[in-house]
Amino acid sequence: MMRETKNALEGIYARLYHHYGPQSWWPAESAFEVMVGAILTQNTNWLNVEKAIANLKQEDVLSAAKLHDLSEDQLAVLIKPAGFFNVKAKRLKNYISFYLSEFQGDIQKMVIVDTLELRQKLLNVNGVGPETADSILLYAVGKPIFVIDAYTRRVLSRHGLCHRHVDYQELQDLFMRYLEPDKISFNEYHALIVRVCKDYCKVKAQCEHCPLEGVNYG
DNA sequence: GACCAGGCACATC
DNA sequence: GATGTGCATGGT
């Protein structure tokens, strides 16, 4: 059973990587942009997040110091296209305050903190849940942690490796128990899952053409 | 015009 | 501890 699960996880990764190649995620120009995007994309289509980030760049406020100086209302106007703009403005401000006070807005000061200790600090920020925390840990800070999201649940459940509404920690534990902790492969694996879902998993009827069709779990 | 999208906090039972 | 609800835009 354990061996089958390990083989399945490795098989899915091999198949996706062979089909798509490296994804070089996260789609952002800086670590700070990753952090902002991680909050803006909560339950939101990425295209809408891009519009919000474009606004921040347009106004030249995509830095911790400049966002800190904006009022919550000013920020809400700029991130409007990403939806939930009032709550997200609040969450972004919470995160920026945390980032400035705990780390002086210096990502290198996050890098030297132990992964699980840093994860707990992130989770203590109001508005940062497990997925947002792990996205920041992996894609901004470069820590070897596996990111779980709606796409991950969809792919893994359709391949019989978990149930549809599996608990976040339970599914993360599955990946991290069977795979070697490696920030490169964790980065690629999650990005590949997002890629294949966007291409094929919108409706079940497309599954038969998916690169994961007939993947060998042997 | 429905329905959905890379969550999270909070209320209520 | 489990379940329900508000938050809101833009694409399909």
Side-chain angles (χ1 to χ4, degrees):
Chain A
M1 184 55 181
M2 286 176 53
R3 177 118 299 256
E4 290 169 19
T5 304
K6 181 174 168 60
N7 285 344
L9 291 177
E10 291 176 348
I12 288 171
Y13 180 67
R15 188 69 78 90
L16 290 176
Y17 193 88
H18 180 259
H19 186 85
Y20 287 114
Q23 300 298 295
S24 50
W25 255 38
W26 174 293
E29 293 178 352
S30 69
F32 184 73
E33 188 177 326
V34 173
M35 299 179 192
V36 172
I39 291 170
L40 290 180
T41 198
Q42 290 169 0
N43 201 41
T44 299
N45 188 306
W46 181 252
L47 287 175
N48 289 347
V49 177
E50 287 185 326
K51 296 177 199 303
I53 289 180
N55 285 347
L56 297 176
K57 288 181 175 175
Q58 179 76 28
E59 295 298 314
D60 192 30
V61 292
L62 190 52
S63 74
K66 289 179 178 174
L67 288 183
H68 186 71
D69 287 341
L70 285 183
S71 72
E72 209 174 288
D73 288 345
Q74 289 174 313
L75 181 53
V77 171
L78 293 176
I79 64 172
K80 202 162 203 166
F84 304 133
F85 49 83
N86 286 316
V87 283
K88 284 177 181 173
K90 200 178 297 285
R91 289 173 182 180
L92 270 175
K93 294 292 272 181
N94 286 343
Y95 184 76
I96 301 288
S97 296
F98 159 79
Y99 186 46
L100 288 174
S101 65
E102 288 269 332
F103 303 102
Q104 293 74 52
D106 181 358
I107 188 106
Q108 293 308 320
K109 293 187 177 177
M110 294 181 115
V111 173
I112 60 177
V113 179
D114 169 76
T115 301
L116 291 184
E117 187 183 334
L118 181 56
R119 185 175 200 265
Q120 194 51 57
K121 284 178 181 289
L122 289 166
L123 290 175
N124 286 339
V125 178
N126 189 293
V128 176
E131 181 183 339
T132 306
D134 289 336
S135 295
I136 291 171
L137 283 169
L138 179 63
Y139 291 109
V141 188
K143 297 290 190 182
I145 194 102
F146 206 97
V147 177
I148 302 303
D149 60 10
Y151 293 142
T152 318
R153 287 190 178 87
R154 200 181 306 170
V155 172
L156 270 284
S157 64
R158 285 191 185 172
H159 287 266
L161 295 167
C162 66
H163 52 278
R164 268 165 56 75
H165 304 291
V166 60
D167 173 73
Y168 188 99
Q169 200 55 55
E170 191 180 325
L171 191 50
Q172 181 178 57
D173 288 347
L174 184 78
F175 279 100
M176 299 193 64
R177 188 163 58 246
Y178 292 118
L179 303 178
E180 292 302 314
D182 171 48
K183 69 175 180 182
I184 306 293
S185 58
F186 283 2
N187 179 320
E188 291 297 341
Y189 204 154
H190 179 252
L192 285 163
I193 286 172
V194 174
R195 179 67 184 275
V196 75
C197 263
K198 284 183 174 174
D199 284 358
Y200 295 97
C201 283
K202 286 190 181 297
V203 292
K204 286 179 181 169
Q206 290 177 310
C207 282
E208 54 188 307
H209 307 296
C210 170
L212 290 177
E213 179 63 20
V215 63
N216 183 9
Y217 294 156

